[in-house]
Amino acid sequence: MKSLIARSIFHVFHKIGVSKRINTSFWKFLGLKIGQNTYIDKNTKFIWPHQVKLGNNCRLEHSIYFHYDGIYSEGPSICIGNDVFIGNNTEFNITDRITIGSNCLIAAGCRFIDHNHGLEKNRLIRSQLAPKSEIILEEDVWLGCNVVVLMGAKIRKGAVIAAGSLVNKDIPSYEIWGGVPAKKIGQRLTR
């Protein structure tokens, strides 16, 4: 009987989002900047919560990883606008900065990496300084599943990136790109 009552209480709390609200409050206490009506799942991870700023009305699925890859510094370096959707298992691996505009859709499994490794042959790769450059997604961008966005890429307003693509350069507004590396495959049309 106790088990049935406990499960019923958990089900009610889960339905009204109590666990997400508690988890969100915990991360806010640790420095996460978060807008109204945006909640954090218990499986979402932050290395430095103060490096992340989430806008209003964002929908974050489970198991998202916000990895600010560096020592403590003032933040935020991962800035996400309002009304953004981020699918499960998305990873932000940032040493410089990423800015995501409002109304973007980021499907499951996407990766953002704003740094690289040095390639001098007379030194160990791991001991070389890592080049880095900001990633920018302007408003209303849609990334399909498993898109990888590399350092310095700027995806302009309204662009669409096909699932499984690798973005390593700037993408013009309202174009559709896909492939490894991504190239133009279409244009968004007006009806």
Side-chain angles (χ1 to χ4, degrees):
M1 183 67 170
K2 284 183 182 179
S3 175
L4 179 60
I5 294 170
R7 280 189 297 189
S8 297
I9 291 171
F10 174 78
H11 182 70
V12 169
F13 280 5
H14 182 71
K15 279 290 188 191
I16 62 173
V18 171
S19 65
K20 281 189 177 182
R21 290 174 195 270
I22 291 169
N23 201 50
T24 300
S25 295
F26 169 76
W27 287 113
K28 281 174 100 172
F29 176 75
L30 294 178
L32 174 68
K33 292 152 195 76
I34 188 165
Q36 295 179 341
N37 299 317
T38 298
Y39 300 101
I40 307 299
D41 181 86
K42 68 178 180 166
N43 294 316
T44 297
K45 304 290 184 231
F46 299 88
I47 297 298
W48 294 106
H50 75 284
Q51 286 290 344
V52 181
K53 179 181 177 190
L54 300 168
N56 299 323
N57 306 309
C58 292
R59 181 165 167 232
L60 282 69
E61 289 191 333
H62 61 86
S63 303
I64 298 170
Y65 187 34
F66 293 95
H67 182 138
Y68 177 75
D69 191 15
I71 60 172
Y72 182 90
S73 65
E74 294 297 319
S77 294
I78 301 171
C79 299
I80 296 171
N82 299 322
D83 302 298
V84 172
F85 171 84
I86 303 174
N88 65 34
N89 295 308
T90 294
E91 177 184 337
F92 298 88
N93 191 334
I94 304 300
T95 59
D96 188 21
R97 185 173 178 83
I98 182 169
T99 303
I100 296 177
S102 295
N103 299 302
C104 288
L105 302 173
I106 299 168
C110 290
R111 302 283 183 266
F112 299 90
I113 305 160
D114 74 346
H115 55 284
N116 204 343
H117 295 283
L119 297 174
E120 294 177 28
K121 70 178 184 178
N122 59 345
R123 295 174 54 203
L124 293 173
I125 293 171
R126 66 180 174 81
S127 65
Q128 296 181 43
L129 288 177
K132 58 187 178 179
S133 183
E134 178 179 12
I135 295 171
I136 299 172
L137 274 68
E138 292 183 351
E139 293 182 359
D140 192 31
V141 168
W142 174 24
L143 304 183
C145 291
N146 299 313
V147 169
V148 176
V149 181
L150 298 179
M151 63 182 241
K154 186 171 188 177
I155 303 175
R156 305 259 181 198
K157 182 177 181 177
V160 176
I161 310 299
S165 298
L166 179 125
V167 178
N168 61 357
K169 62 181 93 164
D170 290 357
I171 309 293
S173 296
Y174 302 107
E175 291 187 358
I176 303 168
W177 285 53
V180 179
K183 62 182 182 204
K184 184 177 178 182
I185 58 175
Q187 183 80 32
R188 288 182 62 189
L189 303 174
T190 312
R191 292 199 185 256

